[in-house]
Amino acid sequence: MGKLLAATAMCSGTAAFAVDLEVSHWWTSGGEAAAVAKFAEALNERTEHNWVDGAIAGGGDTARPIMVSRIIGGDPMHAFQFNHGRQAEELIEAGLLLDLTDVAEAEGWFDIVNPPSLLEACTVDGRVYCAPVNIHSWQWMWLSDDAFEQAGIEVPSDWDGLVASAPALREAGIVPLAVGGQSWQQSGAFGVMAIALAGEEAWLAINRDKDVDVAGGEAYARVFEAFGNARDLAAGLNVSDWNQATNAVITGQAAAQIMGDWAQGEFAVAGQVAGEDYHCLPGLGVTGILDTGGDAFYFPVQDDPEVEAAQKELAALLLSPEVQVSFNSAKGSLPIRGDVDLGTVNDCTQKGLELLAAGQTLPSGNALLTPDTNQQVNDLMTEFWSDPSMTAAEAQERYVEIIANAD
Ligand code: BGC
């Protein structure tokens, strides 16, 4: 912007400089792209800045190391997505991320962010370093009505029901459970099964208190057995990305998928209706509880006051009521502020909102375990998943070792 124009803009009370803001994220599926477009539209239409889309394909495990290496390598983007929790701890400690405390104070984030744990996860030594944008929970199973109809059976109402349906589904040429080939998907399914089948207390004892007795105990032995069962139910579908697995459910090629509620974005893009074309079971129909995971945006430090001002404008915009509604409606996630109304929501989102309102929530695994421990769990689960000769008991033994070393 030329000097004269800049001066005029300043006099008229708007920000002085238009900044191209490069934003990195891993939202590349159909539903995710539709959702992130809401952020881009809001920035482009409501500020003078421009959204430069920095999508990285391949999921979070692929994207995060690429983002980190750009930031520590001195070529930072202006904003990036991470999950709620501990993923950015080291970048914050290294002083590489912008302090957003003034934005949080000016925008009232301390009063509006719900649950408060999401803002706490952004806070280090009393300073706020991220803008939480949604609540996503892993604790869901998605079921294809068409698949069960083809098999001539009812849509099951819990995990055992799915297991019992498997012979009829196989008979009809349908894969009972769709699981993609990436380790985070297998590990995520394990986490959901653990909370649903062993219960909240056992899960917290391990993930929060690092209790090796519980990790090696009977309740978790049953979870590992069930996970071994899941491995059998998933045989025969060779897909890699999570949304390819969701697509197998959408097309009735597979009957079910254990996946976070971002899967709803895919059903929506495919024109499917909750309660008619697909059903959803929070907590696998066993334990109705949601983990409060999801996404937050961080802003690498840039040595330029105008850029910093634009970054802060974006941070504030992401939490504004209108953007919270438009983004989360497309994303299948829940808003991080209790004072907005999503309008008409489908059956599944309604169930999610009710659990949230009833306080039936848990922190996410990303909030309790370090990225390093999470990676070790992912590696173990994928090894178990791809090697049918590994027994549930062997996997459990290895799991106990990981928890014993976790901090
Ligand atoms: C993110 C979601 C995203 C999903 C699949 C999760 O880690 O929280 O926003 O849709 O990964 O890409």
Side-chain angles (χ1 to χ4, degrees):
M1 185 184 274
K3 276 200 183 115
L4 184 62
L5 203 55
T8 316
M10 264 190 271
C11 294
S12 66
T14 58
F17 287 90
V19 177
D20 289 340
L21 290 172
E22 187 197 355
V23 187
S24 297
H25 57 84
W26 61 86
W27 287 328
T28 55
S29 77
E32 291 173 331
V36 73
K38 304 292 180 190
F39 284 160
E41 275 163 33
L43 185 78
N44 294 341
E45 285 166 15
R46 293 176 45 188
T47 74
E48 71 280 27
H49 310 304
N50 305 308
W51 179 279
V52 178
D53 200 72
I56 302 173
D61 285 354
T62 306
R64 283 188 298 271
I66 296 174
M67 296 176 190
V68 170
S69 77
R70 276 193 56 185
I71 297 164
I72 58 182
D75 174 31
M77 65 298 285
H78 300 99
F80 65 96
Q81 166 209 7
F82 261 13
N83 294 117
H84 298 311
R86 303 180 60 179
Q87 290 170 350
E89 265 173 12
E90 289 178 2
L91 292 174
I92 295 171
E93 275 160 23
L96 293 167
L97 302 183
L98 186 62
D99 182 337
L100 301 172
T101 312
D102 53 348
V103 182
E105 279 165 358
E107 298 288 319
W109 289 359
F110 299 101
D111 298 324
I112 57 171
V113 174
N114 177 54
S117 58
L118 299 182
L119 198 56
E120 282 156 21
C122 290
T123 309
V124 175
D125 294 335
R127 313 298 300 173
V128 174
Y129 290 92
C130 68
V133 297
N134 60 10
I135 302 168
H136 261 316
S137 173
W138 254 106
Q139 317 305 316
W140 295 90
M141 182 156 72
W142 310 96
L143 302 153
S144 158
D145 281 33
D146 179 43
F148 290 97
E149 199 179 309
Q150 283 180 59
I153 49 177
E154 294 278 303
V155 177
S157 58
D158 59 16
W159 172 254
D160 286 344
L162 178 72
V163 174
S165 311
L169 291 164
R170 288 286 187 196
E171 183 86 357
I174 294 162
V175 177
L177 188 67
V179 181
Q182 296 167 326
S183 64
W184 67 270
Q185 297 179 54
Q186 296 137 10
S187 190
F190 175 82
V192 175
M193 295 178 78
I195 295 171
L197 306 178
E200 177 186 351
E201 267 178 41
W203 185 84
L204 279 172
I206 296 170
N207 290 275
R208 184 191 57 200
D209 309 332
K210 323 292 184 290
D211 186 326
V212 283
D213 295 334
V214 179
E218 244 176 66
Y220 259 59
R222 285 195 298 275
V223 174
F224 275 96
E225 283 297 330
F227 192 52
N229 234 334
R231 181 173 65 182
D232 298 338
L233 298 185
L237 182 80
N238 295 315
V239 295
S240 169
D241 294 344
W242 68 271
N243 53 310
Q244 294 175 312
T246 309
N247 193 52
V249 176
I250 289 172
T251 57
Q253 201 190 335
Q257 182 185 22
I258 297 174
M259 183 49 61
D261 45 12
W262 46 89
Q264 286 235 78
E266 305 309 296
F267 287 104
V269 166
Q272 295 216 335
V273 177
E276 287 176 24
D277 303 306
Y278 70 99
H279 276 77
C280 54
L281 294 175
L284 305 183
V286 186
T287 309
I289 200 153
L290 300 183
D291 72 88
T292 47
D295 305 291
F297 276 82
Y298 292 82
F299 300 81
V301 168
Q302 308 265 347
D303 195 15
D304 182 334
E306 269 88 31
V307 172
E308 190 171 303
Q311 288 172 302
K312 289 183 173 177
E313 265 187 81
L314 174 58
L317 187 68
L318 296 177
L319 273 81
S320 68
E322 300 78 12
V323 174
Q324 277 293 300
V325 171
S326 61
F327 169 76
N328 285 302
S329 304
K331 189 72 176 67
S333 45
L334 303 176
I336 50 80
R337 43 192 301 165
D339 61 348
V340 295
D341 183 357
L342 283 183
T344 321
V345 296
N346 72 27
D347 284 8
C348 296
T349 306
Q350 186 57 38
K351 286 184 193 171
L353 285 169
E354 282 163 17
L355 288 169
L356 192 65
Q360 286 288 96
T361 58
L362 273 178
S364 71
N366 286 323
L368 298 179
L369 300 175
T370 62
D372 182 44
T373 304
N374 274 319
Q375 191 55 49
Q376 291 175 41
V377 175
N378 287 2
D379 291 347
L380 169 63
M381 296 308 164
T382 207
E383 194 182 326
F384 176 72
W385 197 259
S386 37
D387 176 6
S389 75
M390 186 174 189
T391 65
E394 281 163 357
Q396 187 175 10
E397 242 172 69
R398 296 261 307 274
Y399 183 65
V400 171
E401 276 170 41
I402 295 173
I403 299 303
N405 292 315
D407 53 22

